[in-house]
Amino acid sequence: MRKHFLEIEAVRKRYGTTVALNGATFAVEPGELFGLLGPNGAGKTTLLSIVTGLIDADEGTILLDGQRFRRADRPLRKLIGIGTQDLAVYPELTARENVIFFGKLYGLRTNELKQRADELLSAVGLHDRANDRAGTFSGGMKRRLNLAVAVVHMPKLLLLDEPTTGVDPQSRNLIFDVVHKLNRDGMTIIYTSHYMQEVQALCPRIAIMDAGKVIACDTLSQLLKLHPSSLLVKLDRVPDRFFETLRELSGVQSAALQPDGIRLTSDALGPLLPKLALACATAGVTPIAFETNESTLENVFLQLTGHALRD
């Protein structure tokens, strides 16, 4: 039986009278690329601070690679890398000097570090700027360097907190490529972002937090079923029994009459469309228009939390 790589069980944390975490529970598998979402104030930052060993939980258990994890466990903390939302690079140092500096903090040898620095700077597209000061870099270049220093010690668990904030499309795509490669090579990654399209594109499994709790944790496909896609068929008329005909089509989850037509929900709109066209033709009905509302992680998030992500 495969053990979880990271287990978070009933974790609680208070700051005075404020409850930041109220029994947060989930697990991450070895080698998983796992998404973590929640509105501001949901407890994500506090949870990440506990997982990185910056603070201890008041209650609950965290197991990392099968071992009980606390702030004082320095050997276990070396298994973790974090790409912070606030850039953790020194502008007066060159790109290479930044990577080497952070590598030395983890006890890597100088000779090993030079090769490692060159490999990482090439991976994040900064090899040609290795000897330039980070303070001269664009926002996207700084984000890429931030990722390089986060993985210089080859952590087993990488926490990425808003890794693409303020970057250009080219840098975002390169960061995605690096994240995918690290994950393919076996690194376990927890990815948090305000850009839900990123999490939907990258993460096969996702946890959603709100009010200090994990309110949903499942595969992306299962989460999307919580808010099915819908299709509004606009009609100039609805013949007798036509509503019942559409409601009974294979693949339709629900149907509702609306003033300008019929709204259908389904977890697979594509296969439904030919059946819908045939039903309209058989009934002699000519649709005026179709309006689709695709199932997205954002819709699921809003349904579960009732918040926009930046509330």
Side-chain angles (χ1 to χ4, degrees), residues 6 83 101 121 126 128 174 210 229 243 258 301 311:
L6 175 68
F101 172 78
L121 292 174
L126 292 175
D128 292 343
L174 197 150
D210 196 24
S229 300
F243 173 74
Q258 297 195 348
F301 181 91
D311 280 357

Side-chain angles (χ1 to χ4, degrees), residues 5-310:
F5 187 75
L6 175 68
E7 295 181 64
I8 296 169
E9 180 66 32
V11 170
R12 301 178 186 274
K13 183 69 179 180
R14 279 180 172 269
Y15 297 103
T17 59
T18 301
V19 179
L21 291 173
N22 190 18
T25 299
F26 66 90
V28 180
E29 305 302 327
E32 189 170 19
L33 178 47
F34 184 88
L36 182 63
L37 293 174
N40 288 340
K44 300 189 309 300
T45 299
T46 298
L47 182 61
L48 291 179
S49 297
I50 292 171
V51 173
T52 54
L54 295 176
I55 59 175
D56 279 323
D58 296 334
E59 300 176 31
T61 302
I62 294 180
L63 296 178
L64 179 62
D65 200 17
Q67 302 178 66
R68 182 76 178 263
F69 178 75
R70 297 182 183 87
R71 183 182 182 187
D73 296 324
R74 296 185 68 85
L76 280 180
R77 289 171 67 179
K78 288 186 177 182
L79 300 181
I80 301 169
I82 181 166
T84 55
Q85 181 176 359
D86 296 326
L87 293 168
V89 297
Y90 290 93
E92 66 274 15
L93 298 182
T94 68
R96 180 178 282 110
E97 288 169 343
N98 265 286
V99 176
I100 290 174
F101 172 78
F102 281 95
K104 287 183 176 180
L105 292 181
Y106 285 99
L108 274 66
R109 297 189 301 270
T110 301
N111 290 339
E112 179 185 6
L113 265 175
K114 289 180 179 179
Q115 179 179 351
R116 181 72 181 141
D118 286 340
E119 291 172 352
L120 285 172
L121 292 174
S122 293
V124 299
L126 292 175
H127 188 265
D128 292 343
R129 301 292 300 272
N131 296 316
D132 294 343
R133 293 190 178 191
T136 67
F137 289 177
S138 67
M141 294 167 67
K142 290 176 182 176
R143 283 285 166 196
R144 286 185 267 145
L145 180 58
N146 203 53
L147 177 57
V149 301
V151 297
V152 62
H153 59 303
M154 289 302 292
K156 289 188 175 182
L157 174 64
L158 174 63
L159 308 176
L160 292 178
D161 188 13
E162 305 289 344
T164 63
T165 298
V167 307
D168 56 274
Q170 291 84 356
S171 288
R172 179 175 287 110
N173 288 337
L174 197 150
I175 288 171
F176 288 173
D177 289 342
V178 174
V179 168
H180 275 302
K181 184 179 187 307
L182 291 169
N183 184 240
R184 286 196 304 271
D185 290 344
M187 191 175 292
T188 305
I189 300 174
I190 298 179
Y191 192 102
T192 74
S193 178
H194 279 113
Y195 303 113
M196 275 182 279
Q197 300 92 333
E198 290 186 4
V199 177
Q200 183 166 344
L202 288 170
C203 303
R205 202 163 66 91
I206 299 158
I208 298 176
M209 294 185 65
D210 196 24
K213 296 181 178 181
V214 175
I215 59 173
C217 183
D218 213 328
T219 62
L220 175 63
S221 60
Q222 288 299 114
L223 287 174
L224 292 178
K225 290 180 181 179
L226 298 176
H227 191 286
S229 300
S230 68
L231 172 67
L232 176 61
V233 186
K234 292 189 174 183
L235 305 165
D236 58 352
R237 64 188 182 89
V238 180
D240 291 343
R241 296 286 307 164
F242 187 62
F243 173 74
E244 287 75 11
T245 298
L246 296 192
R247 185 172 58 185
E248 293 167 3
L249 286 177
S250 174
V252 170
Q253 294 178 324
S254 67
L257 277 171
Q258 297 195 348
D260 53 351
I262 299 174
R263 182 171 294 279
L264 308 173
T265 63
S266 173
D267 59 7
L269 284 182
L272 179 61
L273 292 176
K275 302 173 190 175
L276 177 61
L278 179 60
C280 289
T282 301
V285 175
T286 302
I288 299 172
F290 296 99
E291 290 184 3
T292 60
N293 182 9
E294 291 290 339
S295 178
T296 66
L297 189 56
E298 182 170 4
N299 289 336
V300 172
F301 181 91
L302 292 173
Q303 177 176 312
L304 290 173
T305 67
H307 304 287
L309 196 55
R310 294 189 180 273

